[in-house]
Amino acid sequence: SYDDPDTRRRFWGLNAKIDLLDDRLGLVPFFVQQSYDGVLDRQAVGLQVDYLTDRASYFGMVDYDLHHQVLNHLLVNGNLRLGGRTRVYGGIDHRRNPYLTTRNALIGQTIRDLSELELLLVEASLEDIARDRSALSTMLRLGLQGELTEGWDYSMDASLTDFDATESSLEVAALDAHRDFYYSLQIRANDMFGRGNYGAVQARGYDSDTARSVGMHLNNRLALGESSWLFPRLQLDQRTRLDTDQDQLRVRPSLRLDYRRNRNMRFELEAGYEWTDRE
């Protein structure tokens, strides 16, 4: 709180840290209970798990609310080195967004007191209204990084996010379901024009229920001696709105100069231009 402690919100929690397999496996079970305006807001149990080896690392978490009887969060992330500088990573993030708590019933309301809001309810409960305000979302991500040849690196990344619709209640409008898909490919050359220089080109795209976009970004760094660097950049983006078939083309060149006189003094000068053509 900006002004003073918010005494309406109280919580207590308990967790433990358990290390196994020579500290490569870590387990953190937890319990948390929270109240708001004297009403039970959240009561959850969960477990965090992390596992680390010389070639891989994994992290997972599960959070289940006992009061609302829903899975608030399931998260699994992994990172595996296949050999050399090649590694693959990915994960799944399945959650209530925002976390389902009883005070979510206040979202979209002018009333800021749960007890006062409960007096207005006839057929539904505070928990029912709170559930209507919390959407279910799932994100999947997969990526690959490696070396094409000496001095040349690549990275590929893709993610898919799916949001479920919410329910309309107490004159609060529902949110529509939507899906977003991102993907990118980047190739980078290190020390291409001497030590400390690099050049990179990235192609990326975005696809959703309402818009589609593709673009290419060029990013370079050129060393001008030991204390100055030049960063020429260029962005090209083409975007289409699917609901109106409206196209937009954008070009953004820029040039930045960095000068570092010493550890405590640095100067930056940047100039850019943006040209947009929209139907």
Side-chain angles (χ1 to χ4, degrees), residues 53 79-80 172 199 204 219 233 246:
T53 68
N79 191 318
L80 176 63
V172 177
R204 64 186 186 185
N219 187 9
R233 293 168 177 169
Q246 184 186 65

Side-chain angles (χ1 to χ4, degrees), residues 36-249:
Y36 188 86
D37 285 338
V39 177
L40 184 57
D41 189 34
R42 163 171 160 80
Q43 185 184 71
V45 293
L47 176 68
Q48 294 182 15
V49 180
D50 60 86
Y51 181 69
L52 180 65
T53 68
D54 294 335
R55 294 184 53 193
S57 63
Y58 304 96
F59 175 81
M61 188 186 77
V62 60
D63 183 297
Y64 183 82
D65 195 292
L66 301 173
H67 176 59
H68 296 278
Q69 297 184 350
V70 297
L71 180 67
N72 255 329
H73 201 179
L74 174 64
L75 173 69
V76 179
N77 283 328
N79 191 318
L80 176 63
R81 182 163 55 87
L82 300 179
R85 297 180 59 184
T86 303
R87 69 184 185 94
V88 60
Y89 56 89
I92 177 173
D93 189 339
H94 179 75
R95 68 169 70 194
R96 289 277 175 173
N97 198 354
Y99 267 28
L100 182 54
T101 61
T102 307
R103 73 177 183 276
N104 286 1
L106 296 174
I107 296 176
Q109 304 296 327
T110 58
I111 300 173
R112 307 315 303 164
D113 187 283
L114 283 175
S115 301
E116 185 178 349
L117 179 62
E118 191 172 22
L119 296 177
L120 301 178
L121 304 180
V122 179
E123 297 180 354
S125 65
L126 288 174
E127 287 75 12
D128 294 333
I129 304 301
R131 187 185 294 264
D132 293 341
R133 302 289 90 83
S134 182
L136 191 61
S137 69
T138 303
M139 186 182 76
L140 303 174
R141 188 183 182 199
L142 184 63
L144 180 67
Q145 293 182 351
E147 187 178 45
L148 290 172
T149 183
E150 185 176 357
W152 290 77
D153 300 328
Y154 71 90
S155 63
M156 296 182 290
D157 189 275
S159 65
L160 174 66
T161 305
D162 185 87
F163 284 88
D164 286 348
T166 61
E167 298 291 336
S168 174
S169 57
L170 285 186
E171 300 183 355
V172 177
L175 298 178
D176 295 331
H178 66 276
R179 178 175 295 180
D180 302 321
F181 179 55
Y182 293 90
Y183 53 93
S184 69
L185 169 64
Q186 177 175 282
I187 298 177
R188 171 171 166 151
N190 299 306
D191 301 332
M192 185 167 52
F193 301 109
R195 185 174 179 83
N197 299 313
Y198 68 79
V201 56
Q202 181 189 53
R204 64 186 186 185
Y206 163 76
D207 198 346
S208 72
D209 300 329
T210 59
R212 181 180 296 120
S213 174
V214 292
M216 179 172 292
H217 294 194
L218 303 177
N219 187 9
N220 303 274
R221 183 177 74 177
L222 305 175
L224 306 177
E226 297 182 355
S227 57
S228 301
W229 292 266
L230 193 64
F231 296 83
R233 293 168 177 169
L234 176 63
Q235 297 183 19
L236 304 172
D237 293 294
Q238 194 272 337
R239 185 173 184 267
T240 302
R241 286 189 59 92
L242 301 180
D243 51 353
T244 61
D245 289 331
Q246 184 186 65
D247 290 327
Q248 173 181 296
L249 178 64

